[in-house]
Amino acid sequence: MIIPAVLFAAVGTAGQRCTTTRRLFLHESIHDSVVEKLVKAYKQVRIGDPLDSNTLYGPLHTKQAVDMYKNALEQVKQQGGTVACGGKVINRPGNYVEPTVVTGLPHDAAIVHTETFAPILYVLKFKTEEEAFMWNNEVKQGLSSSIFTKDVGRMFRWMGPKGSDCGIVNVNIPTSGAEIGGAFGGEKHTGGGRESGSDAWKHYMRRSTCTINYSKELPLAQGIKFE
């Protein structure tokens, strides 16, 4: 499931969604094999006119977005990363760039922590669950996150107080595309409340806190006696 999920979440809408996957944490035992399969999948993405039903991947929205893409990849090179796939501006009318996979950067590299809103996926290698959870939470953004695992205990640790600190915490589904109907919103720099889902009804009513005393007495804790 991981290959189609990552491809959809990282490449969908040309990487310009608020819930786009920017970082992919892979255990060191599967890192190389997953990257190899992911690169093969990336090379099959049909790039073209978004009005064509056969197109899977369209352009960025402005030339400024293309410049941000180019600048991010320049920082990747400066910070020691490797472009495993893509990394070029496409020579055709429109703001087209190649969907890109980057490996070899440390988890705390400045560009890895930067939200570019472009189709650049940073693949990071981890050793332990605690390490992966900590890296997930160390960035300023906190909208959407996801884990892929068959371990039920790990699922609940991911969703619990020591797990993901994002507003959307998914299990075995991508970071984008499944939030319809749920309370949508993030934490940290992508915080600011929720919309839709269980929070939607709050916009249509006035909330009051009501307390009713059904007894014939009014007990007080201050020790005052009233005659």
Side-chain angles (χ1 to χ4, degrees), residues 174-209:
T175 57
S176 63
E179 62 274 358
I180 296 174
F184 184 86
E187 299 293 337
K188 300 185 290 188
H189 281 205
T190 39
R194 298 291 185 272
E195 61 184 20
S196 302
S198 59
D199 274 32
W201 56 266
K202 296 178 183 178
H203 298 288
Y204 298 94
M205 63 181 296
R206 174 177 58 83
R207 287 180 286 173
S208 301
T209 299

mmCIF file of all heavy atoms in Angstrom, residues 174-209:
data_model
loop_
_atom_site.group_PDB
_atom_site.id
_atom_site.type_symbol
_atom_site.label_atom_id
_atom_site.label_comp_id
_atom_site.label_asym_id
_atom_site.label_seq_id
_atom_site.Cartn_x
_atom_site.Cartn_y
_atom_site.Cartn_z
ATOM 1 N N PRO A 174 -3.197 7.651 3.010
ATOM 2 C CA PRO A 174 -2.295 8.785 2.763
ATOM 3 C C PRO A 174 -2.586 9.975 3.667
ATOM 4 O O PRO A 174 -3.608 10.034 4.354
ATOM 5 C CB PRO A 174 -2.572 9.134 1.289
ATOM 6 C CG PRO A 174 -3.241 7.930 0.705
ATOM 7 C CD PRO A 174 -3.987 7.290 1.826
ATOM 8 N N THR A 175 -1.697 10.955 3.625
ATOM 9 C CA THR A 175 -1.885 12.180 4.403
ATOM 10 C C THR A 175 -2.965 13.069 3.798
ATOM 11 O O THR A 175 -3.482 13.959 4.474
ATOM 12 C CB THR A 175 -0.582 12.995 4.474
ATOM 13 O OG1 THR A 175 -0.130 13.287 3.143
ATOM 14 C CG2 THR A 175 0.498 12.227 5.212
ATOM 15 N N SER A 176 -3.294 12.867 2.538
ATOM 16 C CA SER A 176 -4.295 13.714 1.876
ATOM 17 C C SER A 176 -5.405 12.857 1.283
ATOM 18 O O SER A 176 -5.184 11.709 0.907
ATOM 19 C CB SER A 176 -3.651 14.545 0.765
ATOM 20 O OG SER A 176 -3.120 13.714 -0.245
ATOM 21 N N GLY A 177 -6.615 13.439 1.250
ATOM 22 C CA GLY A 177 -7.706 12.787 0.540
ATOM 23 C C GLY A 177 -8.732 12.090 1.391
ATOM 24 O O GLY A 177 -9.797 11.730 0.898
ATOM 25 N N ALA A 178 -8.472 11.898 2.693
ATOM 26 C CA ALA A 178 -9.402 11.142 3.533
ATOM 27 C C ALA A 178 -10.067 12.002 4.595
ATOM 28 O O ALA A 178 -10.788 11.501 5.446
ATOM 29 C CB ALA A 178 -8.671 9.987 4.211
ATOM 30 N N GLU A 179 -9.840 13.326 4.522
ATOM 31 C CA GLU A 179 -10.316 14.179 5.606
ATOM 32 C C GLU A 179 -11.738 14.683 5.404
ATOM 33 O O GLU A 179 -12.268 15.409 6.248
ATOM 34 C CB GLU A 179 -9.370 15.381 5.785
ATOM 35 C CG GLU A 179 -9.260 16.294 4.584
ATOM 36 C CD GLU A 179 -8.227 15.834 3.578
ATOM 37 O OE1 GLU A 179 -7.565 14.810 3.833
ATOM 38 O OE2 GLU A 179 -8.086 16.483 2.536
ATOM 39 N N ILE A 180 -12.375 14.362 4.302
ATOM 40 C CA ILE A 180 -13.739 14.820 4.051
ATOM 41 C C ILE A 180 -14.680 14.247 5.116
ATOM 42 O O ILE A 180 -14.711 13.040 5.348
ATOM 43 C CB ILE A 180 -14.217 14.399 2.645
ATOM 44 C CG1 ILE A 180 -13.358 15.073 1.577
ATOM 45 C CG2 ILE A 180 -15.685 14.750 2.439
ATOM 46 C CD1 ILE A 180 -13.660 14.625 0.178
ATOM 47 N N GLY A 181 -15.435 15.127 5.760
ATOM 48 C CA GLY A 181 -16.357 14.673 6.796
ATOM 49 C C GLY A 181 -15.758 14.680 8.182
ATOM 50 O O GLY A 181 -16.480 14.604 9.173
ATOM 51 N N GLY A 182 -14.445 14.754 8.264
ATOM 52 C CA GLY A 182 -13.790 14.805 9.565
ATOM 53 C C GLY A 182 -13.549 16.239 9.986
ATOM 54 O O GLY A 182 -13.671 17.171 9.197
ATOM 55 N N ALA A 183 -13.203 16.425 11.243
ATOM 56 C CA ALA A 183 -12.875 17.762 11.742
ATOM 57 C C ALA A 183 -11.504 18.139 11.196
ATOM 58 O O ALA A 183 -10.483 17.613 11.621
ATOM 59 C CB ALA A 183 -12.876 17.768 13.261
ATOM 60 N N PHE A 184 -11.473 19.058 10.241
ATOM 61 C CA PHE A 184 -10.249 19.382 9.508
ATOM 62 C C PHE A 184 -9.519 20.560 10.153
ATOM 63 O O PHE A 184 -10.101 21.611 10.390
ATOM 64 C CB PHE A 184 -10.590 19.733 8.059
ATOM 65 C CG PHE A 184 -9.380 19.984 7.197
ATOM 66 C CD1 PHE A 184 -8.730 18.936 6.574
ATOM 67 C CD2 PHE A 184 -8.901 21.264 7.035
ATOM 68 C CE1 PHE A 184 -7.619 19.164 5.791
ATOM 69 C CE2 PHE A 184 -7.784 21.507 6.252
ATOM 70 C CZ PHE A 184 -7.144 20.453 5.626
ATOM 71 N N GLY A 185 -8.245 20.392 10.403
ATOM 72 C CA GLY A 185 -7.432 21.465 10.964
ATOM 73 C C GLY A 185 -6.147 20.922 11.530
ATOM 74 O O GLY A 185 -5.987 19.708 11.701
ATOM 75 N N GLY A 186 -5.212 21.821 11.824
ATOM 76 C CA GLY A 186 -3.904 21.390 12.285
ATOM 77 C C GLY A 186 -3.520 21.926 13.639
ATOM 78 O O GLY A 186 -4.327 22.497 14.362
ATOM 79 N N GLU A 187 -2.250 21.720 13.977
ATOM 80 C CA GLU A 187 -1.672 22.179 15.230
ATOM 81 C C GLU A 187 -0.420 22.995 14.922
ATOM 82 O O GLU A 187 0.022 23.086 13.788
ATOM 83 C CB GLU A 187 -1.324 20.986 16.125
ATOM 84 C CG GLU A 187 -2.515 20.110 16.519
ATOM 85 C CD GLU A 187 -3.505 20.813 17.418
ATOM 86 O OE1 GLU A 187 -3.095 21.782 18.097
ATOM 87 O OE2 GLU A 187 -4.673 20.407 17.439
ATOM 88 N N LYS A 188 0.146 23.590 15.951
ATOM 89 C CA LYS A 188 1.371 24.392 15.833
ATOM 90 C C LYS A 188 1.182 25.517 14.809
ATOM 91 O O LYS A 188 0.197 26.251 14.880
ATOM 92 C CB LYS A 188 2.556 23.478 15.508
ATOM 93 C CG LYS A 188 2.798 22.423 16.588
ATOM 94 C CD LYS A 188 4.017 21.591 16.340
ATOM 95 C CE LYS A 188 3.895 20.649 15.183
ATOM 96 N NZ LYS A 188 5.021 19.705 15.076
ATOM 97 N N HIS A 189 2.079 25.650 13.828
ATOM 98 C CA HIS A 189 1.962 26.740 12.863
ATOM 99 C C HIS A 189 0.831 26.530 11.865
ATOM 100 O O HIS A 189 0.509 27.445 11.104
ATOM 101 C CB HIS A 189 3.287 26.921 12.112
ATOM 102 C CG HIS A 189 4.316 27.673 12.904
ATOM 103 N ND1 HIS A 189 5.347 28.379 12.334
ATOM 104 C CD2 HIS A 189 4.468 27.845 14.250
ATOM 105 C CE1 HIS A 189 6.080 28.941 13.272
ATOM 106 N NE2 HIS A 189 5.578 28.623 14.442
ATOM 107 N N THR A 190 0.269 25.345 11.837
ATOM 108 C CA THR A 190 -0.906 25.110 10.995
ATOM 109 C C THR A 190 -2.127 24.855 11.878
ATOM 110 O O THR A 190 -3.027 24.103 11.520
ATOM 111 C CB THR A 190 -0.691 23.927 10.027
ATOM 112 O OG1 THR A 190 0.035 22.880 10.683
ATOM 113 C CG2 THR A 190 0.093 24.366 8.812
ATOM 114 N N GLY A 191 -2.137 25.505 13.041
ATOM 115 C CA GLY A 191 -3.276 25.386 13.946
ATOM 116 C C GLY A 191 -4.317 26.444 13.655
ATOM 117 O O GLY A 191 -4.279 27.131 12.650
ATOM 118 N N GLY A 192 -5.256 26.601 14.580
ATOM 119 C CA GLY A 192 -6.304 27.603 14.412
ATOM 120 C C GLY A 192 -7.692 27.023 14.425
ATOM 121 O O GLY A 192 -8.578 27.539 13.759
ATOM 122 N N GLY A 193 -7.906 25.953 15.152
ATOM 123 C CA GLY A 193 -9.248 25.391 15.261
ATOM 124 C C GLY A 193 -9.526 24.328 14.220
ATOM 125 O O GLY A 193 -8.637 23.843 13.529
ATOM 126 N N ARG A 194 -10.790 23.983 14.111
ATOM 127 C CA ARG A 194 -11.232 22.928 13.186
ATOM 128 C C ARG A 194 -12.430 23.417 12.389
ATOM 129 O O ARG A 194 -13.176 24.302 12.807
ATOM 130 C CB ARG A 194 -11.624 21.659 13.960
ATOM 131 C CG ARG A 194 -10.504 21.025 14.744
ATOM 132 C CD ARG A 194 -9.460 20.410 13.832
ATOM 133 N NE ARG A 194 -8.435 19.702 14.579
ATOM 134 C CZ ARG A 194 -7.329 20.262 15.049
ATOM 135 N NH1 ARG A 194 -7.124 21.556 14.871
ATOM 136 N NH2 ARG A 194 -6.446 19.551 15.710
ATOM 137 N N GLU A 195 -12.619 22.813 11.234
ATOM 138 C CA GLU A 195 -13.817 23.057 10.444
ATOM 139 C C GLU A 195 -14.351 21.716 9.957
ATOM 140 O O GLU A 195 -13.616 20.737 9.869
ATOM 141 C CB GLU A 195 -13.502 23.961 9.246
ATOM 142 C CG GLU A 195 -12.480 23.383 8.285
ATOM 143 C CD GLU A 195 -12.121 24.330 7.168
ATOM 144 O OE1 GLU A 195 -12.355 25.536 7.334
ATOM 145 O OE2 GLU A 195 -11.599 23.865 6.135
ATOM 146 N N SER A 196 -15.643 21.662 9.690
ATOM 147 C CA SER A 196 -16.316 20.435 9.241
ATOM 148 C C SER A 196 -16.354 19.398 10.363
ATOM 149 O O SER A 196 -15.902 19.629 11.482
ATOM 150 C CB SER A 196 -15.634 19.855 7.996
ATOM 151 O OG SER A 196 -15.618 20.788 6.956
ATOM 152 N N GLY A 197 -16.916 18.246 10.049
ATOM 153 C CA GLY A 197 -16.964 17.164 11.014
ATOM 154 C C GLY A 197 -17.655 17.551 12.308
ATOM 155 O O GLY A 197 -18.650 18.273 12.321
ATOM 156 N N SER A 198 -17.096 17.090 13.421
ATOM 157 C CA SER A 198 -17.716 17.283 14.726
ATOM 158 C C SER A 198 -17.721 18.738 15.167
ATOM 159 O O SER A 198 -18.429 19.091 16.110
ATOM 160 C CB SER A 198 -16.972 16.441 15.771
ATOM 161 O OG SER A 198 -15.606 16.818 15.837
ATOM 162 N N ASP A 199 -16.932 19.596 14.495
ATOM 163 C CA ASP A 199 -16.903 21.005 14.877
ATOM 164 C C ASP A 199 -17.866 21.863 14.071
ATOM 165 O O ASP A 199 -18.107 23.026 14.419
ATOM 166 C CB ASP A 199 -15.495 21.573 14.699
ATOM 167 C CG ASP A 199 -14.630 21.333 15.926
ATOM 168 O OD1 ASP A 199 -14.842 20.296 16.585
ATOM 169 O OD2 ASP A 199 -13.770 22.156 16.220
ATOM 170 N N ALA A 200 -18.418 21.329 12.995
ATOM 171 C CA ALA A 200 -19.246 22.134 12.102
ATOM 172 C C ALA A 200 -20.484 22.690 12.801
ATOM 173 O O ALA A 200 -20.868 23.845 12.579
ATOM 174 C CB ALA A 200 -19.651 21.315 10.887
ATOM 175 N N TRP A 201 -21.116 21.885 13.668
ATOM 176 C CA TRP A 201 -22.360 22.325 14.313
ATOM 177 C C TRP A 201 -22.155 23.508 15.250
ATOM 178 O O TRP A 201 -23.081 24.254 15.543
ATOM 179 C CB TRP A 201 -23.012 21.174 15.072
ATOM 180 C CG TRP A 201 -22.130 20.516 16.095
ATOM 181 C CD1 TRP A 201 -21.349 19.425 15.918
ATOM 182 C CD2 TRP A 201 -21.934 20.908 17.466
ATOM 183 N NE1 TRP A 201 -20.672 19.107 17.075
ATOM 184 C CE2 TRP A 201 -21.024 20.001 18.044
ATOM 185 C CE3 TRP A 201 -22.458 21.943 18.251
ATOM 186 C CZ2 TRP A 201 -20.608 20.095 19.366
ATOM 187 C CZ3 TRP A 201 -22.032 22.033 19.579
ATOM 188 C CH2 TRP A 201 -21.128 21.113 20.113
ATOM 189 N N LYS A 202 -20.934 23.734 15.703
ATOM 190 C CA LYS A 202 -20.672 24.833 16.629
ATOM 191 C C LYS A 202 -20.892 26.199 15.984
ATOM 192 O O LYS A 202 -21.115 27.190 16.674
ATOM 193 C CB LYS A 202 -19.244 24.738 17.154
ATOM 194 C CG LYS A 202 -18.984 23.486 17.995
ATOM 195 C CD LYS A 202 -17.532 23.418 18.450
ATOM 196 C CE LYS A 202 -17.276 22.132 19.227
ATOM 197 N NZ LYS A 202 -15.866 22.015 19.628
ATOM 198 N N HIS A 203 -20.833 26.252 14.654
ATOM 199 C CA HIS A 203 -21.024 27.520 13.965
ATOM 200 C C HIS A 203 -22.502 27.891 13.840
ATOM 201 O O HIS A 203 -22.824 28.995 13.415
ATOM 202 C CB HIS A 203 -20.396 27.454 12.572
ATOM 203 C CG HIS A 203 -18.916 27.236 12.601
ATOM 204 N ND1 HIS A 203 -18.024 28.214 12.989
ATOM 205 C CD2 HIS A 203 -18.165 26.139 12.301
ATOM 206 C CE1 HIS A 203 -16.791 27.732 12.927
ATOM 207 N NE2 HIS A 203 -16.847 26.484 12.513
ATOM 208 N N TYR A 204 -23.376 26.976 14.187
ATOM 209 C CA TYR A 204 -24.812 27.210 13.988
ATOM 210 C C TYR A 204 -25.577 27.310 15.297
ATOM 211 O O TYR A 204 -26.798 27.225 15.317
ATOM 212 C CB TYR A 204 -25.409 26.078 13.138
ATOM 213 C CG TYR A 204 -24.799 25.998 11.765
ATOM 214 C CD1 TYR A 204 -23.726 25.149 11.511
ATOM 215 C CD2 TYR A 204 -25.277 26.789 10.727
ATOM 216 C CE1 TYR A 204 -23.149 25.087 10.250
ATOM 217 C CE2 TYR A 204 -24.711 26.729 9.466
ATOM 218 C CZ TYR A 204 -23.648 25.885 9.243
ATOM 219 O OH TYR A 204 -23.082 25.825 7.981
ATOM 220 N N MET A 205 -24.884 27.501 16.391
ATOM 221 C CA MET A 205 -25.571 27.553 17.674
ATOM 222 C C MET A 205 -24.796 28.423 18.662
ATOM 223 O O MET A 205 -23.642 28.778 18.435
ATOM 224 C CB MET A 205 -25.747 26.142 18.249
ATOM 225 C CG MET A 205 -24.444 25.434 18.566
ATOM 226 S SD MET A 205 -24.678 23.793 19.209
ATOM 227 C CE MET A 205 -25.520 24.138 20.736
ATOM 228 N N ARG A 206 -25.458 28.794 19.736
ATOM 229 C CA ARG A 206 -24.835 29.511 20.834
ATOM 230 C C ARG A 206 -24.669 28.554 21.993
ATOM 231 O O ARG A 206 -25.620 27.902 22.415
ATOM 232 C CB ARG A 206 -25.721 30.694 21.258
ATOM 233 C CG ARG A 206 -25.207 31.421 22.502
ATOM 234 C CD ARG A 206 -26.079 32.621 22.830
ATOM 235 N NE ARG A 206 -27.470 32.240 23.036
ATOM 236 C CZ ARG A 206 -27.959 31.769 24.197
ATOM 237 N NH1 ARG A 206 -27.164 31.611 25.236
ATOM 238 N NH2 ARG A 206 -29.236 31.461 24.312
ATOM 239 N N ARG A 207 -23.462 28.433 22.486
ATOM 240 C CA ARG A 207 -23.201 27.495 23.575
ATOM 241 C C ARG A 207 -23.294 28.187 24.932
ATOM 242 O O ARG A 207 -22.814 29.314 25.099
ATOM 243 C CB ARG A 207 -21.821 26.869 23.417
ATOM 244 C CG ARG A 207 -21.742 25.864 22.291
ATOM 245 C CD ARG A 207 -20.359 25.275 22.179
ATOM 246 N NE ARG A 207 -19.416 26.226 21.604
ATOM 247 C CZ ARG A 207 -18.104 25.991 21.523
ATOM 248 N NH1 ARG A 207 -17.594 24.886 22.013
ATOM 249 N NH2 ARG A 207 -17.302 26.887 20.972
ATOM 250 N N SER A 208 -23.906 27.522 25.875
ATOM 251 C CA SER A 208 -24.027 28.039 27.241
ATOM 252 C C SER A 208 -23.650 26.947 28.235
ATOM 253 O O SER A 208 -23.902 25.764 28.001
ATOM 254 C CB SER A 208 -25.464 28.495 27.524
ATOM 255 O OG SER A 208 -25.878 29.502 26.623
ATOM 256 N N THR A 209 -23.057 27.361 29.338
ATOM 257 C CA THR A 209 -22.794 26.437 30.438
ATOM 258 C C THR A 209 -23.871 26.644 31.489
ATOM 259 O O THR A 209 -24.028 27.746 32.019
ATOM 260 C CB THR A 209 -21.408 26.691 31.049
ATOM 261 O OG1 THR A 209 -20.420 26.493 30.042
ATOM 262 C CG2 THR A 209 -21.152 25.746 32.214
#
